[in-house]
Amino acid sequence: MKDGFIDRFLVVISTALMLTAIYTIFFYAPTEIMMGIVQKIFYFHLPMAFMAFLSYFVAFVCGVLYLIKKDIKWDIIGSASVEIGVVFTTLVLITGSLWARPIWNTWWTWDPRLTTSFILWLIYVAYLILRASVEQVDRRATFCAVMAIVGFIDVPIVFLSARLWRTIHPVVIKSRSIDIEPAMLTTLAISMAAFLLFWLTLLRIRSRVDFTELRIRNLEKIRRGGM
């Protein structure tokens, strides 16, 4: 009962904050002079990229904890986080392409940021394929933990790619400042907060589904053993 209330509360609050973010994006933030209305995609694109990074970081931490403690709960949280991360990474690639078409006059270019982001997507899609391919629970959890740890290496590479190599990808967050106007920065902050709460809500609900399935399987094993 308590968990259900918390879930509903998070859904309501995250929805309200997301609607607030959408309002500020389209009615409060000024339109960028050079890029025009298409620049507003970044208020979705950038937060989703950071939520993807956060998802893979959580999976990395859960992978380490599972290998140390062999507690299946870390496997469940880690896999849920990867699923969410793959969804956000997919949306990042799509929104990036939508922005690139009018600005770069192409849907895709093998820019270092785009290339490393696509590799990141492939790594964690492979994680999900691996997870679906291994039936034995402990082996699956171990393999996935290792893959989550190794795959996370690409996250800082993606983040630093626009700084390490010559690239046409814009860098919004620079080393000492954020190079946007105050109204745009406020809008970006609200959007970041909205997506963070949305991410937390998704992770909690998705993890609870897997925990419930695990309890059901354990009860079925007990029932069969009693028979």
Side-chain angles (χ1 to χ4, degrees), residues 8-226:
R8 288 191 294 271
F9 176 77
L10 286 173
V11 168
V12 170
I13 297 300
S14 62
T15 300
L17 191 55
M18 189 64 72
L19 290 174
T20 302
I22 291 172
Y23 174 83
T24 57
I25 289 169
F26 292 104
F27 298 103
Y28 172 70
T31 301
E32 209 274 337
I33 296 176
M34 299 298 295
M35 291 183 283
I37 193 69
V38 73
Q39 180 269 341
K40 292 182 182 291
I41 290 177
F42 273 102
Y43 298 116
F44 300 96
H45 179 78
L46 188 61
M48 288 191 294
F50 274 97
M51 293 310 105
F53 292 162
L54 177 60
S55 297
Y56 301 139
F57 175 72
V58 170
F60 167 81
V61 172
C62 288
V64 172
L65 290 173
Y66 177 79
L67 293 178
I68 294 173
K69 299 185 176 182
K70 297 299 181 181
D71 189 335
I72 198 65
K73 75 176 182 181
W74 298 117
D75 174 63
I76 289 175
I77 297 172
S79 66
S81 189
V82 168
E83 288 183 15
I84 296 168
V86 168
V87 172
F88 276 121
T89 306
T90 303
L91 292 174
V92 166
L93 294 174
I94 292 172
T95 53
S97 295
L98 291 174
W99 174 86
R101 184 65 182 89
I103 302 301
W104 293 344
N105 198 33
T106 182
W107 293 104
W108 183 266
T109 180
W110 293 103
D111 174 85
R113 172 64 61 82
L114 275 66
T115 303
T116 53
S117 296
F118 181 62
I119 292 172
L120 186 68
W121 181 82
L122 289 176
I123 289 171
Y124 286 99
V125 167
Y127 171 103
L128 296 179
I129 294 172
L130 173 65
R131 190 167 189 84
S133 303
V134 181
E135 295 185 1
Q136 210 281 328
V137 175
D138 293 338
R139 290 184 63 209
R140 180 178 65 201
T142 300
F143 292 161
C144 288
V146 172
M147 192 165 185
I149 293 169
V150 174
F152 184 74
I153 295 173
D154 192 40
V155 171
I157 294 175
V158 174
F159 182 76
L160 295 173
S161 59
R163 298 165 176 79
L164 295 175
W165 298 290
R166 294 186 62 182
T167 174
I168 57 175
H169 194 283
V171 179
V172 177
I173 302 178
K174 298 185 177 180
S175 58
R176 297 183 180 179
S177 64
I178 300 179
D179 191 23
I180 56 177
E181 294 183 5
M184 292 180 174
L185 180 59
T186 300
T187 301
L188 180 60
I190 294 172
S191 185
M192 283 283 194
F195 274 97
L196 178 59
L197 188 57
F198 181 54
W199 174 88
L200 181 62
T201 303
L202 289 177
L203 181 63
R204 177 180 171 82
I205 293 174
R206 185 65 187 89
S207 298
R208 283 191 62 214
V209 170
D210 282 347
F211 279 122
T212 301
E213 290 180 354
L214 178 62
R215 286 194 291 267
I216 292 172
R217 287 196 300 269
N218 290 337
L219 289 173
E220 288 177 346
K221 290 180 180 178
I222 294 172
R223 182 175 62 84
R224 287 196 297 267

